[in-house]
Amino acid sequence: MEQGISKNTQRMLNGKHIWLYMLLLSLPILINNLIKSFNGMVDIYFIARIKDVSTETIDSAIAALNIHESFNNLILAIGVGLSIAAMAIVSQYVGAKREDKAKFYAGQLLTIALIVGIALTLVILGFSWFFIDLLGAKGQTFNFALEYFNIRSLELVGVIFFLVYQAIRQAQGSTITPTLLNIGGILVNIGFTWYFVEVLNLGVAGSAWATLIGNLIFVPLMILDLFISRRYMRLKLSAFVPKKKTLKEIWPFAYPATVSHSVTFLGFLIINSFVLSQFGDVISASFSTGNKLSNLLMNPIYAITTIGAVFIGANIGNRQPERALKVYKQSGRMTFTITVVAILVAILFRKEFVTLLVGTQNERLIEVSVEYTLWLLLTQPVMSIFQNYMAIFNGSGQSKLGLKAQSFRLWGLRIPLLFGLWFLFPEMKYSVVWTAMNISNVIALFHAHYLRKNIELDIKVNLEDDESEVLV
């Protein structure tokens, strides 16, 4: 099947300059992530500048968007888990030169994505009021959040489908097509957000509808690409028929990654709810602003480690564990260097970033955002190393190690520290949040390093033929 392998896959398996190929393949993902980060700021940018409303109303609207972001991350953890499973499974089959198996499992994973998306939409539409109340939203914040939650729930089928589609293509070394489709949706979202919020004055509902349109508009093209692509594997409808045995084989790849992201985002949801209930809308909005800058700077790291995980999976499938380990080491050096340079620049210009995002009307919002951002950025290099550990855990098909690392960082360290410091040192006020965050990030790195020593770089997928997987 060598002639069926793309040039990018051949570079992953045999190319001399691993770091260069990783960098080149990660660039489309980086561009996509950067635009996606700016896209995430679009709602806040326009909502913060709504005309003829009070500062309190704007603070409530931003807090509502912040609550949804935390909740949406928790909900999408299932989609992220499926995408990690898709990346690990498909990349190992591609590396093992078993495109037939790769096609079959890709179809199975996409079917699961559709089912999960429909189920989550129905749950949120039925219980959004309960979730929002549980998260501590009151008054205007509750009303804004309820409206935003219900509209955005309608996009989940398309969003989860895209996560798995993107992982399948990336596992073959295809990063440009998913990126172009996603960027197209983001640009549509930006245009509609401006029109709905600024021109039609639809407020929070307008920003929600704009995001929904942007996330769904190019899904038909993704489906088309899966069936007619000339450069990468094409699927057949028979691959989408769910098989019980196959679902059991996918489960060990998907469930640790899903649980890992679920417990992580649930932890952040608890922290955000704590901040909102104890310190109010302004502090909550300030932390949201700082987190957006942090996410922006982590984009190069996420891009490189995503491709690093694909390289690792493909080389394990091709029975080249030494090369997989080499990928991990080169990825680590690149991500750490990039992060150090980025945070030095970001610390100097963090106030300009904050005012660009939230405007200059609320001085308290700006003050807390600038302070929080400084402490947040100081441990970014540590998180770049941590993310590289996650790449080798996921790429090797051992996402259970990632589950242990993430759970310990958040539930074993950060949340107990947060509530412990808040109880013992109430005079620290909201600074307990970044104190607990920085301590937990540093200690968690040593735990992840310990887990890394126990990793096995051998093939985890089933290479045996099964008649039910034969796609004629």
Side-chain angles (χ1 to χ4, degrees):
M1 290 189 181
E2 185 70 34
Q3 55 268 53
I5 296 179
S6 70
K7 290 183 179 179
N8 285 337
T9 300
Q10 292 178 25
R11 294 186 183 109
M12 285 193 284
L13 300 177
N14 305 308
K16 292 183 180 180
H17 306 293
I18 295 175
W19 68 271
L20 180 60
Y21 297 134
M22 276 197 293
L23 199 58
L24 290 174
L25 286 176
S26 67
L27 280 177
I29 300 176
L30 171 59
I31 294 170
N32 175 61
N33 288 347
L34 287 172
I35 295 177
K36 194 173 182 179
S37 291
F38 285 118
N39 181 54
M41 301 171 196
V42 168
D43 286 351
I44 290 181
Y45 178 87
F46 286 106
I47 293 298
R49 290 162 174 80
I50 295 177
K51 299 174 183 177
D52 303 323
V53 297
S54 66
T55 301
E56 290 75 16
T57 297
I58 291 177
D59 289 340
S60 293
I62 293 176
L65 267 59
N66 184 33
I67 291 172
H68 177 268
E69 182 177 11
S70 301
F71 181 81
N72 198 49
N73 286 336
L74 173 61
I75 291 298
L76 288 181
I78 300 176
V80 173
L82 286 173
S83 70
I84 290 173
M87 179 276 300
I89 292 171
V90 175
S91 66
Q92 288 198 21
Y93 278 132
V94 168
K97 302 178 179 63
R98 290 300 305 271
E99 188 176 288
D100 55 332
K101 304 276 280 188
K103 288 179 179 180
F104 177 77
Y105 281 88
Q108 298 290 290
L109 285 155
L110 287 166
T111 297
I112 297 172
L114 293 172
I115 295 171
V116 167
I118 293 170
L120 290 175
T121 298
L122 295 175
V123 169
I124 295 174
L125 285 175
F127 299 97
S128 57
W129 60 272
F130 173 75
F131 297 133
I132 296 166
D133 184 63
L134 193 65
L135 294 171
K138 307 294 181 185
Q140 272 192 314
T141 302
F142 179 92
N143 294 331
F144 284 139
L146 184 63
E147 190 174 37
Y148 198 80
F149 271 54
N150 288 338
I151 296 171
R152 290 288 305 274
S153 68
L154 301 175
E155 71 186 29
L156 286 173
V157 174
V159 171
I160 295 176
F161 181 88
F162 170 74
L163 289 173
V164 177
Y165 160 80
Q166 179 177 242
I168 290 168
R169 284 301 185 227
Q170 288 175 351
Q172 302 164 74
S174 171
T175 57
I176 294 178
T177 300
T179 295
L180 290 176
L181 292 173
N182 201 30
I183 289 175
I186 289 169
L187 294 176
V188 168
N189 176 25
I190 293 173
F192 274 104
T193 301
W194 166 79
Y195 184 70
F196 288 164
V197 178
E198 187 80 9
V199 179
L200 299 183
N201 199 28
L202 295 177
V204 170
S207 67
W209 283 114
T211 305
L212 170 72
I213 293 170
N215 283 334
L216 295 182
I217 194 167
F218 290 113
V219 170
L221 292 182
M222 299 172 200
I223 297 172
L224 196 63
D225 176 61
L226 287 168
F227 288 102
I228 68 169
S229 175
R230 294 183 178 181
R231 295 185 60 187
Y232 299 98
M233 65 182 190
R234 295 188 295 273
L235 305 187
K236 295 183 181 294
L237 285 176
S238 54
F240 290 83
V241 179
K243 307 288 184 181
K244 186 175 180 180
K245 179 182 177 181
T246 308
L247 298 181
K248 289 181 179 179
E249 292 181 357
I250 290 173
W251 178 252
F253 290 88
Y255 96 84
T258 299
V259 174
S260 173
H261 283 78
S262 296
V263 299
T264 299
F265 290 130
L266 178 60
F268 287 128
L269 196 60
I270 290 172
I271 293 172
N272 289 337
S273 300
F274 167 79
V275 171
L276 179 62
S277 62
Q278 295 299 319
F279 307 116
D281 288 345
V282 174
I283 302 301
S284 176
S286 299
F287 282 17
S288 174
T289 303
N291 289 335
K292 288 188 183 301
L293 177 57
S294 172
N295 291 336
L296 184 65
L297 295 178
M298 283 296 290
N299 279 326
I301 312 310
Y302 293 141
I304 293 171
T305 53
T306 296
I307 287 300
V310 171
F311 273 60
I312 290 168
N315 280 284
I316 288 174
N318 201 40
R319 293 180 172 83
Q320 298 184 110
E322 299 84 5
R323 185 176 173 85
L325 189 60
K326 189 176 181 180
V327 169
Y328 157 75
K329 292 178 178 178
Q330 292 193 17
S331 172
R333 286 193 288 268
M334 275 197 296
T335 53
F336 183 80
T337 303
I338 291 171
T339 304
V340 170
V341 174
I343 65 164
L344 291 176
V345 176
I347 287 175
L348 293 175
F349 296 100
R350 66 188 188 281
K351 185 173 183 179
E352 287 77 5
F353 171 85
V354 169
T355 54
L356 176 66
L357 187 58
V358 302
T360 57
Q361 297 176 356
N362 193 325
E363 293 183 4
R364 180 61 173 162
L365 176 60
I366 295 171
E367 178 188 352
V368 178
S369 296
V370 170
E371 183 182 17
Y372 172 65
T373 300
L374 173 63
W375 293 105
L376 185 63
L377 293 175
L378 289 178
T379 55
Q380 290 287 87
V382 171
M383 291 312 299
S384 72
I385 300 173
F386 185 85
Q387 194 62 32
N388 202 48
Y389 284 125
M390 297 304 295
I392 195 169
F393 295 156
N394 293 331
S396 64
Q398 297 170 81
S399 52
K400 61 184 179 181
L401 297 178
L403 170 60
K404 292 179 180 179
Q406 293 280 25
S407 299
F408 179 72
R409 179 172 72 102
L410 200 60
W411 293 93
L413 294 171
R414 186 175 301 184
I415 291 177
L417 276 170
L418 173 63
F419 288 103
L421 290 171
W422 178 62
F423 179 76
L424 295 173
F425 306 102
E427 66 276 8
M428 290 181 68
K429 299 182 179 178
Y430 54 80
S431 67
V432 297
V433 177
W434 61 67
T435 303
M437 174 187 66
N438 287 347
I439 293 173
S440 63
N441 284 348
V442 173
I443 296 176
L445 194 64
F446 293 97
H447 179 245
H449 180 71
Y450 167 76
L451 294 174
R452 153 71 186 84
K453 290 183 177 180
N454 299 322
I455 204 163
E456 299 173 355
L457 299 179
D458 52 6
I459 298 176
K460 295 293 186 294
V461 295
N462 177 21
L463 295 177
E464 295 180 4
D465 290 319
D466 188 324
E467 288 185 6
S468 66
E469 299 172 14
V470 177
L471 306 178
V472 181

